[in-house]
Each structure stands twice: as C-alpha cells, then as structure tokens.
Amino acid sequence: MRDRAKIASYLCLGSAIFALAAAVDLNQKAVKPWLLTGATAALIGGINLRKSAKQLGDSLGDIEIASKHNFAVWVKAKTLPTAQLAVTVGSIDVNWQPENLITDPVNYIQQKQKHVALIGGTGDGKSTFTQYLSSKIGGQVVVYDSDAKPDDWSWIPQENVIGRKGNFAAIHEGMGNDLQQLAELVELRGDKGDKVLVGRERFLIAEEFPILVDECDNAPVWLKKHAKRGRRYKQFILAIAQNDTAENFGLAGDKDTLYSCFCLVRLGQFAYEQARRLKDPKLEQWLKAGGKKRFMVDDFPCELDLSNWGITPDALLPATDEETPPKIDLNEYEQFIVDWGKSHPGEILKARILLQASRLFDRMTPDDIRIIFASLADRSLGAVEGTGDRLGWKWTQ
C-alpha cells in the first residue's frame, strides 16, 4: 500500500509538470487557464500523496517494531519452564549417604600431609573440632587468639594462650619466635636427621584470620613459611577463619598455597555453600539434616559426631533431681529459633516469619529453615506441625 501511494505521488507530480509546461505558450505569451488549473491540482494531489506515503511508512515501521517485540514476548512465554516442568528437590531420603563420604577426617588430613584451614561461623563447633584434631595430631598446643575469654582454651596450659585482650604485640613476638624455631629445626634436621624432631612436635592454632593479618606483620609470613615447610619439621598449623578466600589468609595472589598446603574444613553455612558450588543440592540437604556432625573436608562430605567427645568423668554420673539436664550445643541459627520460641510460648513459627524477623536468615531459603525446624524437633527441642510448605515449629517444655 505504501509503495502504491509512492508511485501514485510520483505520477501526479510528473503529470503536473507536463500539464504546467503545456499550459504556458511561450510563442504567444499566453497561459491556458484550464491546463494551469489541472497542473495545480495534480501538483497538490502529488504532494498530499507523498505526505500520505511517508506517514504510512512511519506507521508501518512502528507496527513492525511492535510486532517483533510481541513475537519475542510470545517466544519467551512459550519457552519459560512452567510450574509443572520446574525441577525441585524433594525431601532427602534419610538412608541416603554420599558415595565419597569421609568418616575419619584426621586420617584424610594425615594422608594428604597438609595443614588445616578451618572455616566456620559462631556456634558451628570450631572449638570442639580444634580440640579433637589437636588430640589426634599430637604435639605441644600453642594458641594465638586476641579475643580469647578466660574460659576459652581451658584444656591447654594457659601460658600457651597468647594474645588475650587484643595483645597483638605478644602475637607478633610469638610468631616471630616460631619462625626462628622453624629455621633452627631446618638446620638441626639437616645435621642430625629426623631424630632431632622427637619431642619438638607442636600444634599451632591461629584464631582468627584476617584480623591477624591486619594487626600482626608476622602473621602472613608465619602462615606461608609454616604452610610450605612446617609439616616436614612436625610444626602443624590450624588457621581459623570465617572466609575461605586466599586474601582472607594473607595470601593475596597466591591461592595455590592455600589449596596445595591446607585441607579446607568447612562447617555450617560454609559447608552448604561448598555443596552449592559443587552443584549438588542433595548433598546440601544431607549436610543440613545432620547438623554439626556433618561438614565438608575439601570437596568431600564428612560425618563425625563430636557431641559426646571430651566429656569429663563427672558428666557421666547419673543425674539427680537437683542437677540440670546436659546442655545441648546450638549454632546461632538454632539458638535464635529456640530463643524466639521461649519468648512466644505456644505460637507456631513459620519460615516466612523468620525471614522477616531477622537478617540472620537472609542467605537461607524457606526449605533450609524447615530443615532446621525438623532437626530441632528430632533433638526434643520443640515440635513441628504441618508438612511440606506448611511445616512450622513451636517451643515445647
């Protein structure tokens, strides 16, 4: 239609020119009025047709753009997964076990001949795992901890806890002494062999990175030199952090040292994130269902129940009516839920309420929270009501 209008406008303009030429008689110097009128009419008609053709072209262009947009929307709507096609991970089989499960992390670490980078949040069981590991690796335990409370590290001689009350100068000095001792062991072993290492074994704990890197100049050098040579000279290190990047440990630009010299033990939320990096949702749910006894060692799932490890003899005596029940260790997420339940007796707590009530759960999905509800109920901490998306939890005495 637009093309026909353009052709008609050209014909009108051409006819107007011919008519105008015929209307003027140059020899007689006269004008033929009827031809002049026709030429004028043809000229006006041609101009109008030209305008109409342009407007029609603009309109068709807009229609074409709109048509392409509508087609793209239609294609997107037809190719998006529907609710029926969406893949979801259902409830995990309670009998399911990962094929590459580790049940003895100490044996794994010893076989790898590496140190340990322990990554976990508050309440994830870092202290218990550290105590357990040090008892298995052996050696004199030395702890660098600027935030240690009076009752922290009570299982080792307190003179071996260095840096209390933010004393980074003491940590700097202690790490400097460690570096000097490592250099001496290198010389001694070179002269007399491995027998000089007997009785000089040490288990060095640094809590936590990156604050030690920020506040103590010796920390990055201490970590790197012990990472490279420490195990050969029976100087084992355990570095504790709340982040698993090389920069966090003062190894910016040298992540190879972190991954080649350390076994990365990830607890709690950090284990779940590792499962997500491995794109294994089934593993993630398995970890969450097991609480503190399940974690990740490098890319391998591990199950180790330390809830009854290290109990003193007095704790094994039968309880009397006056005695309080044994304390159940809770991570920060479980503790928040239990505290909420105690302050809202009888009320049903739903996942959406938690997500609105605290930013602590921002990185969790509703299904993650429901798994915590079920885990608490399994330990007789409250009870669950409902199933699936309607599952909730309430505190019970």
Side-chain angles (χ1 to χ4, degrees), residues 358-369:
S358 173
R359 298 191 63 181
L360 178 64
F361 299 89
D362 280 353
R363 301 171 73 180
M364 290 192 179
T365 66
D367 284 340
D368 295 338
I369 295 173

Side-chain angles (χ1 to χ4, degrees), residues 96 98 100-102 105 108-109 116-120 129 244 263-280 283-284 286-288 291-304:
W96 182 83
N100 54 348
L101 180 66
I102 293 175
Y108 173 87
I109 293 165
V116 168
L118 180 61
I119 302 104
F129 184 83
D244 58 3
C263 291
L264 273 68
V265 178
R266 297 177 174 94
L267 311 178
Q269 189 69 27
F270 297 93
Y272 312 154
E273 290 176 358
Q274 181 66 6
R276 285 195 285 271
R277 280 194 285 265
L278 297 173
K279 297 180 180 180
D280 193 339
L283 173 60
E284 182 183 353
W286 178 84
L287 289 165
K288 292 175 180 176
K292 292 182 180 181
K293 68 180 181 180
R294 293 175 182 171
F295 48 94
M296 295 291 293
V297 180
D298 292 333
D299 290 338
F300 299 94
C302 181
E303 184 167 29
L304 180 66

Side-chain angles (χ1 to χ4, degrees), residues 115-157:
H115 305 278
V116 168
L118 180 61
I119 302 104
T122 303
D124 282 340
K126 296 194 299 291
S127 296
T128 302
F129 184 83
T130 298
Q131 185 176 356
Y132 171 79
L133 187 61
S134 67
S135 71
K136 299 297 183 181
I137 299 292
Q140 180 188 21
V141 179
V142 177
V143 177
Y144 296 108
D145 186 356
S146 63
D147 295 318
K149 300 189 296 294
D151 56 342
D152 289 343
W153 313 108
S154 57
W155 45 278
I156 65 173

Side-chain angles (χ1 to χ4, degrees), residues 307-308 324-330 335 381:
S307 58
N308 295 322
T324 57
K327 181 181 177 181
I328 300 177
D329 289 333
L330 302 175
Q335 189 65 58
L381 294 172

Side-chain angles (χ1 to χ4, degrees), residues 243-264:
N243 189 299
D244 58 3
T245 63
E247 291 79 8
N248 189 71
F249 289 92
L251 298 171
D254 188 19
K255 65 179 181 180
D256 288 343
T257 295
L258 179 62
Y259 291 104
S260 63
C261 299
F262 290 87
C263 291
L264 273 68

